[in-house]
Amino acid sequence: MRKKGERADPIQRVYPNEKDVFRAFEDCPFKEVRVVILGQDPYFNEGQAIGRAFAVSESTEKLPPSLKNILKEVERDYPRGLMPEQTLESWAKQGVFLLNTTLTVAHGRSNSHADIGWKEVVTIPTLKKLSAGREHLVFILWGVPAKLFEQFLDQRRHLVLKAGHPSRPSLTGFQKCGHFRKANDYLSEHGIEPITWTIRK
């Protein structure tokens, strides 16, 4: 699922590490998924991408704008809690499927692996399976690339939330979208335990 020779070429680095490419799937078995957050592709700087959409490694000192703005919205929806860790592991453990539409990226080149088959072989079949095989999931689509996958989701069975990309919240409509509270309200309405988006004090 990569351009020929890229992973083996020390000059052309690929992220995340090979062992982490399918981490989002390992985090969330099919029956445990409650919320799907769909990103575009992994961060393209060294040491950041860990196989979860929007999350970064523990060693990342400066958070990417997207993640910083996501955490601001969590705080807006739930001001009494502490922020989750930057790896978003606590979300993944609760059934938040942090899926990128493309699972790998070349160093320094955003969206560089968009056309090598990830969407057709992995992303679309995964979304279709979740949509058809589960009930009352929440699908969160941020940004134009993510919104293109709305067509594969059955909105009679699930809640689909859409907003602009979190990298530029005030310009795209992401700011004050309220998606974290809306997701929990929907889950609660259908007898499903809501997500603890914050780390409780």
Side-chain angles (χ1 to χ4, degrees):
M1 297 302 303
R2 60 182 181 271
K3 294 181 180 179
K4 187 176 180 180
E6 278 195 339
R7 182 73 74 173
D9 184 350
I11 297 176
Q12 183 55 73
R13 287 163 288 173
V14 174
Y15 306 126
N17 292 327
E18 198 158 8
K19 65 180 178 61
D20 293 328
V21 170
F22 291 99
R23 172 178 271 184
F25 291 83
E26 295 166 2
D27 287 338
C28 293
F30 178 78
K31 292 183 179 180
E32 295 181 14
V33 174
R34 285 188 274 169
V35 176
V36 179
I37 296 180
L38 196 61
Q40 179 176 290
D41 60 347
Y43 297 118
F44 55 73
N45 292 320
E46 186 172 1
Q48 290 187 327
I50 58 173
R52 297 184 188 121
F54 297 109
V56 293
S57 66
E58 293 178 346
S59 62
T60 300
E61 295 182 0
K62 185 177 180 180
L63 297 188
S66 295
L67 181 56
K68 287 177 65 176
N69 291 322
I70 288 168
L71 297 181
K72 286 179 182 178
E73 289 307 306
V74 172
E75 186 175 22
R76 194 188 306 274
D77 280 359
Y78 294 98
R80 292 190 174 185
L82 297 176
M83 288 301 96
E85 66 291 327
Q86 62 197 47
T87 64
L88 302 183
E89 183 177 0
S90 63
W91 291 6
K93 286 183 175 180
Q94 295 179 77
V96 180
F97 188 26
L98 297 160
L99 177 66
N100 278 313
T101 61
T102 299
L103 302 192
T104 56
V105 68
H107 175 78
R109 294 194 289 131
S110 178
N111 221 25
S112 52
H113 288 184
D115 299 322
I116 67 171
W118 283 121
K119 296 172 186 176
E120 294 77 13
V121 176
V122 176
T123 313
I124 293 173
T126 297
L127 292 174
K128 284 183 173 179
K129 183 177 180 180
L130 285 167
S131 180
R134 296 289 309 280
E135 294 278 354
H136 308 310
L137 298 182
V138 180
F139 291 88
I140 297 178
L141 314 180
W142 291 328
V144 174
K147 291 177 186 177
L148 295 176
F149 291 83
E150 180 183 8
Q151 62 184 301
F152 305 111
L153 307 174
D154 185 349
Q155 297 189 49
R156 297 167 299 179
R157 299 161 63 98
H158 309 285
L159 175 65
V160 177
L161 299 173
K162 297 177 291 182
H165 198 274
S167 60
R168 305 180 74 187
S170 62
L171 300 178
T172 64
F174 176 78
Q175 195 171 58
K176 299 182 181 180
C177 65
H179 282 181
F180 300 102
R181 187 168 290 280
K182 289 176 182 177
N184 275 354
D185 288 346
Y186 178 83
L187 294 174
S188 296
E189 287 170 7
H190 292 88
I192 302 169
E193 185 178 355
I195 304 296
T196 301
W197 298 109
T198 60
I199 300 173
R200 297 298 183 192
K201 291 183 179 179

